[in-house]
Amino acid sequence: MEIVIIGSGNVAAVLGRKFKAAGHHIAQVFSRKASAASALAYEWDTESTNYKSLVNKNADVYIVAVSDNAIADVTDDQKLQGKVVAHTAASVPMEILKGVTDHYGVFYPLQSLRKDMSELPEIPIYFDGSDEMTKKTLEKLAHSISDEKVVEAGDDGRLKLHVAAVIVSNFTNHLYVLAQEYCRKEGLDFKQLLPLIEETASRIKAISPKEAQTGPAIRQDTETIQKHLEILKNHPQLKNIYVLLTGSIQQMK
Ligand SMILES: NC(=O)c1ccc[n+]([C@@H]2O[C@H](COP(=O)([O-])OP(=O)(O)OC[C@H]3O[C@@H](n4cnc5c(N)ncnc54)[C@H](OP(=O)(O)O)[C@@H]3O)[C@@H](O)[C@H]2O)c1
């Protein structure tokens, strides 16, 4: 397919690389920052622009991979009738693109993507479309880059999925941040915890998270919990979270 990428951030870069690797042609990259657009265009041996009026009108598919609150701004004066135009946000309704084309949709990658990733990850795609043609096109495009799941999902389903994604990815990472800060202050090496982190994450492929729960809270080991709280007196933010999560785990018994 001929694809125009709108945006030059993390998702734009990784999806563009995936499309290119799958044999699609990136017809153009648009970004408000000329240097960022031309860097990706150079990588993909294509053209770039930072002028909305110069967006190529001859592609099959337009992937709008800009910040959620910029989708309307970037597309409001685009007229791409007959073309398939999809944004990549979980929590933004598909209808935001209604004025751009009759064939609007969503191409949401359920993965944490970064421009500087050394390897292209597996990316499950959740897609939606305003009509059958749009859905079929986006589904085909998704299958071309993803051996993982390709699933049709409406606005409500994507929004609910996004809540779960924030919890398992963003919140877990925030706990790593706090733990790393704790280790630094206590003179410990955070990297000592990496084998434990990997084991805990991989275990839930085989058993449920509830079955995989270990630690003093699930064992109702109040003596150990008290010792931990004593140490955490010097780390008030972490102590609050420790108390909250301990209570939550104990309720699951
Ligand atoms: N990253 C992920 O893991 C991930 C996963 C799934 C879905 N998504 C969704 O994918 C979309 C893009 O996310 P991202 O992570 O790629 O974001 P990002 O790395 O922060 O890149 C955002 C892009 O939007 C552009 N932009 C921001 N505000 C703009 C404005 N007012 N006008 C024009 N362009 C503007 C930025 O341009 P500048 O560089 O000039 O600021 C940049 O090209 C979002 O809807 C996000 O929810 C992200």
Side-chain angles (χ1 to χ4, degrees):
M1 289 183 203
E2 287 283 313
I3 301 171
V4 167
I5 302 281
I6 297 181
S8 58
N10 292 305
V11 172
V14 177
L15 285 185
R17 284 171 195 149
K18 281 279 204 182
F19 293 145
K20 189 90 171 118
H24 299 290
H25 180 243
I26 311 291
Q28 189 189 47
V29 187
F30 164 87
S31 178
R32 64 176 174 179
K33 218 184 266 166
S35 58
S38 64
L40 288 180
Y42 179 76
E43 180 184 326
W44 300 329
D45 193 18
T46 189
E47 294 168 9
S48 67
T49 184
N50 59 331
Y51 292 103
K52 285 204 260 180
S53 59
L54 294 184
V55 167
N56 180 321
K57 302 280 192 279
N58 301 316
D60 305 306
V61 176
Y62 294 73
I63 296 293
V64 184
V66 297
S67 310
D68 291 18
N69 59 10
I71 296 171
D73 253 21
V74 165
T75 55
D76 60 1
D77 43 9
Q78 293 295 336
K79 291 287 169 249
L80 296 164
Q81 274 318 330
K83 307 299 182 184
V84 171
V85 183
H87 71 64
T88 59
S91 298
V92 177
M94 175 172 78
E95 300 277 314
I96 198 167
L97 297 171
K98 201 175 179 173
V100 182
T101 172
D102 287 342
H103 304 302
Y104 53 92
V106 177
F107 196 84
Y108 167 55
L110 179 56
Q111 183 54 281
S112 179
L113 303 177
R114 288 179 60 93
K115 209 175 200 173
D116 60 6
M117 289 173 137
S118 51
E119 281 176 28
L120 293 177
E122 278 304 324
I123 310 180
I125 301 287
Y126 289 74
F127 71 94
D128 198 6
S130 55
D131 57 12
E132 274 315 302
M133 177 274 203
T134 308
K135 285 182 191 173
K136 286 255 161 347
T137 305
L138 293 175
E139 185 176 17
K140 195 170 166 200
L141 183 61
H143 276 299
S144 75
I145 62 162
S146 181
D147 297 331
E148 286 283 324
K149 269 193 153 142
V150 173
V151 183
E152 183 176 339
D155 290 345
D156 200 39
R158 282 196 325 278
L159 185 59
K160 287 180 177 165
L161 196 57
H162 195 211
V163 173
V166 165
I167 292 167
V168 300
S169 176
N170 306 145
F171 287 2
T172 306
N173 193 69
H174 179 65
L175 291 177
Y176 298 156
V177 173
L178 292 176
Q180 187 175 37
E181 186 59 11
Y182 165 83
C183 285
R184 192 187 60 75
K185 286 183 182 158
E186 295 293 339
L188 302 167
D189 182 1
F190 177 73
K191 289 205 169 127
Q192 285 173 292
L193 300 166
L194 291 182
L196 174 63
I197 290 170
E198 278 174 16
E199 172 59 26
T200 310
S202 69
R203 194 174 290 167
I204 58 167
K205 289 179 190 164
I207 58 174
S208 75
K210 194 170 177 185
E211 285 173 294
Q213 190 70 59
T214 56
I218 199 74
R219 291 195 301 270
Q220 307 292 342
D221 180 352
T222 47
E223 206 173 309
T224 301
I225 292 169
Q226 279 315 315
K227 285 184 199 165
H228 291 178
L229 290 175
E230 195 54 35
I231 288 178
L232 288 171
K233 272 184 182 160
N234 300 326
H235 309 271
Q237 187 184 1
L238 193 52
K239 185 177 173 190
N240 285 341
I241 290 175
Y242 186 104
V243 170
L244 194 72
L245 291 182
T246 295
S248 179
I249 293 169
Q250 286 173 333
Q251 276 175 26
M252 299 298 288
K253 262 242 117 358

